[in-house]
Amino acid sequence: MHRKTEHPISHENPHTHSQSLESNMMPSGTSATAQMVLDDKGGEIYSVRPADSVHHASEVLKAHNIGAVLVRDQNGHMVGILTERDIVRGFAELPGETYSKQVEDLMTKDVITCAAGDHVFELLHVMVKGNFRHLPVMDGDHVLGVISIRDVVKFRLQELEYEALKLKQMIVG
């Protein structure tokens, strides 16, 4: 995935630098996984049915202070995701009718997911590139949880704070 890049200074005196530019630029959280983010935030999963009203779904979003809810069929299989953006799009396209519409009318059907072992850095890249903020974490067809870009950023900030503390302890002794 990452191409090895030498630091320009290292060509002048390769014995003075123990790390490459790539190793310094690579986020330290590359070993952190989606499962670790889920473990940190908790794996609570909120869902609605495709035939539920958008009004009901918005109440679920509000009650749990979340920005997306999974849409599951009667067998519990994920068939989509309904996000705040989907609802706003509905208001723009169907003024005055959005709340009475069914979830399946507004939900995103082709949901991008990740696996529990996917690395945090990859998750951030996928979410930023795809311009979305919620990612269901899957184990086959089973949903383990949903992580948001906020969850990933919070997790990385905690890691960075811990790394800074460890460095400070090394320096101070």
Side-chain angles (χ1 to χ4, degrees):
M1 181 184 308
H2 296 282
R3 193 173 64 206
K4 186 173 181 179
T5 307
E6 301 264 346
H7 192 289
I9 298 173
S10 67
H11 292 293
E12 296 169 13
N13 188 352
H15 301 293
T16 61
H17 299 282
S18 62
Q19 297 179 337
S20 69
L21 176 61
E22 178 183 52
S23 68
N24 285 321
M25 295 295 289
M26 187 71 139
S28 56
T30 54
S31 62
T33 64
Q35 184 63 57
M36 294 167 76
V37 175
L38 274 181
D39 291 344
D40 187 58
K41 78 163 263 188
E44 191 72 36
I45 302 171
Y46 301 102
S47 63
V48 294
R49 296 278 176 91
D52 286 345
S53 70
V54 171
H55 183 258
H56 170 71
S58 67
E59 289 175 331
V60 172
L61 294 173
K62 180 184 176 198
H64 300 290
N65 197 28
I66 55 176
V69 62
L70 293 182
V71 183
R72 295 184 181 202
D73 64 16
Q74 65 277 5
N75 298 320
H77 296 106
M78 182 177 64
V79 295
I81 189 168
L82 183 71
T83 68
E84 295 165 323
R85 285 184 184 174
D86 295 326
I87 295 171
V88 168
R89 192 175 304 112
F91 281 128
E93 294 171 0
L94 307 163
E97 300 175 36
T98 304
Y99 272 142
S100 60
K101 288 289 183 184
Q102 292 182 329
V103 167
E104 64 190 347
D105 296 330
L106 299 182
M107 71 182 191
T108 301
K109 294 178 178 105
D110 296 323
V111 182
I112 296 175
T113 65
C114 69
D118 289 347
H119 296 285
V120 167
F121 187 68
E122 295 169 319
L123 304 179
L124 283 171
H125 179 74
V126 166
M127 286 191 264
V128 169
K129 185 178 177 184
N131 195 29
F132 57 88
R133 299 176 298 205
H134 300 89
L135 197 57
V137 182
M138 307 293 289
D139 182 10
D141 288 339
H142 177 69
V143 180
L144 300 175
V146 178
I147 56 177
S148 69
I149 199 161
R150 180 181 185 272
D151 299 328
V152 176
V153 169
K154 179 182 171 199
F155 184 85
R156 277 297 294 138
L157 285 174
Q158 289 171 342
E159 280 189 325
L160 291 171
E161 288 172 358
Y162 176 75
E163 290 170 17
L165 178 63
K166 294 298 278 182
L167 284 172
K168 186 176 181 181
Q169 289 174 342
M170 282 177 42
I171 292 168
V172 173

